[in-house]
Amino acid sequence: MIFGVGIDLVDVERIGKALKKQGPRFITRLAHPEDLKFAPSTATQKAQYWAARFAAKEAFAKALGTGIGKDVSFKEVGVAKQKNGKPDLRYSTRLHTFLKKQKITRTHISITHTETTAAAVVILETGK
Ligand SMILES: CC(C)(COP(=O)(O)OP(=O)(O)OC[C@H]1O[C@@H](n2cnc3c(N)ncnc32)[C@H](O)[C@@H]1OP(=O)(O)O)[C@@H](O)C(=O)NCCC(=O)NCCS
């Protein structure tokens, strides 16, 4: 059964500016360890990549219905990549336990980005 669906749209330039202004601090505040595994090194790619991660985290928080805050922090949700490139969500141990309590058994994510905008959609499911 569908528990929730979340969508988010992020301005790549806004993230590019934050990366420029805050440097590594921005990534430290935002990143789950899984996000770091695939992070690119050039400034343009970085802005798109982190904008997409930002969108993924917000879309997840909306699907859960909590928003980003007490129950979900940016760092606790990460995006892994399967061999074929398909993204998958990963969680901190604490958040994993929280999801179990909500009886959430499956999560789905899709990401897209252009030079200017990144977006993500997340669907959470309960049941077998
Ligand atoms: C829900 C949340 C994720 C929305 O974030 P946002 O990016 O500010 O706003 P968006 O335009 O993407 O989304 C707004 C919509 O989210 C939906 N929304 C609001 N609360 C929600 C919740 N608890 N669960 C699901 N959806 C929610 C509403 O439909 C809202 O639209 P409306 O204002 O027309 O009713 C917000 O609670 C949040 O956690 N923001 C964190 C922002 C933050 O910490 N930013 C740091 C910047 S570095």
Side-chain angles (χ1 to χ4, degrees), residues 8 14 54 58 62 65-68 74:
D8 197 57
R14 185 180 143 223
F54 196 90
E58 293 246 28
K62 285 182 186 174
T66 57
I68 298 287
F74 285 118

Side-chain angles (χ1 to χ4, degrees), residues 25-38:
R25 210 157 39 90
F26 178 79
I27 292 172
T28 308
R29 276 180 38 218
L30 194 74
H32 177 279
E34 203 66 33
D35 296 323
L36 298 170
K37 287 191 186 169
F38 309 95

Side-chain angles (χ1 to χ4, degrees), residues 50-97:
W50 288 107
R53 267 68 208 157
F54 196 90
K57 291 162 195 276
E58 293 246 28
F60 169 80
K62 285 182 186 174
L64 195 58
T66 57
I68 298 287
K70 179 173 71 69
D71 294 316
V72 180
S73 75
F74 285 118
K75 286 170 75 86
E76 286 186 291
V77 189
V79 181
K81 262 189 201 179
Q82 294 178 9
K83 280 206 178 106
N84 61 4
K86 186 180 186 297
D88 251 344
L89 287 172
R90 294 283 184 273
Y91 312 104
S92 66
T93 310
R94 191 201 69 82
L95 185 53
H96 190 77
T97 307

